[in-house]
Amino acid sequence: MPSRSIPDTLAMIGALIERPTISCTDPRYDQSNLPVIQLLAEWAEGLGFRADISPIGASKANLIATLGGGADQKGGLVLSGHTDTVPCNPELWSSDPFRATKRDGRIYGLGSADMKSFFALALQAAARFRPEDFRRPLVVLGTADEESSMSGARALLSENRRLGRYAVIGEPTGFTPIRMHKGVMMEGITVHGRAGHSSDPALGANAIEGMHAVLGELLAFRAELRARYRNPAFKVDYPTLNFGSIHGGDNPNRICGSCEMQIDIRPLPGMDLDTLHQTLENRLAPVLREYPGLSLELRRLFDGLPPFETSADSDIVRASEDLSGQPAGAVAFGTEAPFLSQLGMQTVVMGPGYIDQAHQPDEYLPLDHIQPGIDILSKFIERFCIRPER
Ligand SMILES: [Zn+2]
């Protein structure tokens, strides 16, 4: 079907891949996402969208592009994606990661699956309708920094910007609808003691011995979490607690003065990050009472990603199951969905490409995801914007 005034789908995917927008917690690799935001805004305006570029810090932005709508400006559908990619190792790729390369029925390039192509499909789907046909608005949302700090989605939440009643996040799921994922929290636990000569234990307070007690308590806590929470939708159907790193002391003949451990906890939907952090603090607080000279410090290593769940009988989940012909499930990776959910949008995650190809060399999008993808997104638009039930 002809589009009004945007390039064809492959040309758009190519142009997006050619504009590197790596986001990384290491500032050496971190790039602006503005080249992609500006291009998407230009295309969206060509289709009659109103494009709002909302800056985040000096070099990043979210794009909120809105088409049509009537009176109920917050009652429509949001097609949401992140505009950044992870870093890559070009030497491990068979072709240039920043050029869309077509071969073997696939389109290769950094962000081809995760998830620049989704924007091209979403705009093509929007182009099938006339602006005056929209009874509820369609919003194309492009966020910043999903792969690092999630600053884009967090900004929307802190500004309380509910952009619609429904949201589809086009992360690569092979168009399998996803309505649940776990959360992530990472904590650093430090035992502070006092170094001294190893020949006399009274000359110091040994942090490693204190950490032994902390570890014992954490193992018990982990076992309780596992016994108490379960969700059969997940392959690993219980909350996990991983001991990721531990560092302490310097020399065998010195009493260890300080020891730090880092853990990662993956809570199931229904578990609250703040409550979990508080429980952890309460449980660890008394552990060092019998160790004179030792103290404990707990700190969050990042803001945390809440778990995500949209009800199985919500309109968006039902629509996603109808349109894909597949039941909605759970995934092991995190997305921006919990933030859109907290803003009051019924959210489902589904999009072209597969997560297995994301974040690695020779990332690709199967070409045969493109046309069916545009068709599915058109049907979402039709259901929630053109012919909404209410
Ligand atoms: Zn992604």
Side-chain angles (χ1 to χ4, degrees), residues 82 84 113-115 146-147 169-172 333-335 355 358-359:
H82 58 85
D84 59 323
D114 189 14
M115 51 174 294
E146 191 270 348
E147 300 287 9
I169 300 181
E171 291 278 4
F333 57 92
T335 71
I355 196 69
H359 298 203

Side-chain angles (χ1 to χ4, degrees), residues 341-355:
S341 277
Q342 284 176 44
L343 281 165
M345 302 182 234
Q346 281 186 18
T347 303
V348 75
V349 180
M350 63 186 281
Y354 300 110
I355 196 69

